[in-house]
Amino acid sequence: DSGVTQTPKHLITATGQRVTLRCSPRSGDLSVYWYQQSLDQGLQFLIQYYNGEERAKGNILERFSAQQFPDLHSELNLSSLELGDSALYFCASSVGSGAEAFFGQGTRLTVV
Amino acid sequence: GIQVEQSPPDLILQEGANSTLRCNFSDSVNNLQWFHQNPWGQLINLFYIPSGTKQNGRLSATTVATERYSLLYISSSQTTDSGVYFCALGAGSYQLTFGKGTKLSVIP
């Protein structure tokens, strides 16, 4: 158990819908990262938050947004879902930049 | 951004055999991690090794930062070692960049 908790584990939804993925980081970790893993793109960095502030952005679509709350949990919002958004979404956390990152079990999103 | 190249892309081993997985990278790093993604999709931390050598049971890893490569050694492989092994790097920026992975299949 990495100590990073993601919910839900599985999600099936229709095209055009909106979903929210939730992540609770390890106790004491201030950085939260979101990654997308699809068959054709591999593991891609989406966005990072550090202590509530956005720190870095990767290949995140405009239809996607995220935030980190004062209790340090984070949510990734995916809207106007398309079939191509089907993927495994991971959250990771670390104490800070350059420190070891630990990953949650992932949320498997299927868009039908 | 930093480039990460893992080799080989696929590896099939007989149970009990040893193997070496390689990760080459294009820039200086302040974070290098090896992960094992099991058949259920979980990403399991193996090593945090921006430089030097570490060992954990049948697994060990070495990173030679000056020559920009890292090696993961698996000895006496078991069927439970099957899965995909990822090398991931952090170089100045805060997030990890992942390689494409080495898919390992250990057959009885």
Side-chain angles (χ1 to χ4, degrees), chain A residues 6 20 28 34 46 49 52 62 73 85:
Chain A
Q6 287 188 248
T20 297
W34 286 98
L46 296 178
Y49 282 82
E62 284 191 14
H73 91 271
D85 297 327

Side-chain angles (χ1 to χ4, degrees), chain B residues 11-92:
Chain B
L11 188 57
I12 300 174
L13 294 177
Q14 202 78 35
E15 201 169 21
N18 303 328
S19 62
T20 301
L21 282 56
R22 188 175 180 103
C23 172
N24 290 335
F25 46 95
S26 61
D27 207 343
S28 307
V29 298
N30 57 9
N31 183 351
L32 191 150
Q33 294 185 236
W34 283 96
F35 295 91
H36 174 215
Q37 187 167 37
N38 63 23
W40 295 271
Q42 280 182 284
L43 277 170
I44 298 163
N45 287 44
L46 297 178
F47 294 101
Y48 170 75
I49 189 165
S51 64
T53 298
K54 290 187 178 179
Q55 178 149 12
N56 184 3
R58 296 181 296 104
L59 273 59
S60 64
T62 294
T63 296
V64 184
T66 52
E67 297 187 22
R68 297 184 182 165
Y69 72 89
S70 183
L71 301 174
L72 177 69
Y73 305 96
I74 304 173
S75 64
S76 304
S77 57
Q78 301 174 357
T79 55
T80 51
D81 295 332
S82 296
V84 182
Y85 289 80
F86 288 103
C87 168
L89 312 172

Side-chain angles (χ1 to χ4, degrees), chain A residues 7-29:
Chain A
T7 56
K9 287 190 172 55
H10 301 275
L11 199 48
I12 302 175
T13 190
T15 54
Q17 294 299 303
R18 172 189 168 92
V19 297
T20 297
L21 313 184
R22 183 188 168 98
C23 170
S24 294
R26 292 189 322 152
S27 176
D29 284 358

Side-chain angles (χ1 to χ4, degrees), chain A residues 80-100:
Chain A
S80 303
L81 284 167
E82 302 174 0
L83 297 177
D85 297 327
S86 296
L88 191 49
Y89 290 84
F90 285 105
C91 168
S93 75
S94 69
V95 170
S97 62
E100 186 173 7

Side-chain angles (χ1 to χ4, degrees), chain A residues 2 33 35 37 43-45 48 55-58 88 90 96-105 108, chain B residues 30-31 33 35 37 39-48 50 86 92-99:
Chain A
S2 68
Y33 312 79
Y35 287 82
Q37 185 178 32
L43 270 152
Q44 299 282 314
F45 167 70
Q48 181 205 357
R55 179 62 66 92
K57 248 182 180 176
L88 191 49
F90 285 105
S97 62
E100 186 173 7
F102 294 84
F103 282 71
Q105 290 190 318
R108 190 171 297 277
Chain B
N30 57 9
N31 183 351
Q33 294 185 236
F35 295 91
Q37 187 167 37
W40 295 271
Q42 280 182 284
L43 277 170
I44 298 163
N45 287 44
L46 297 178
F47 294 101
Y48 170 75
F86 288 103
S93 55
Y94 303 106
Q95 72 274 13
L96 292 174
T97 299
F98 280 77

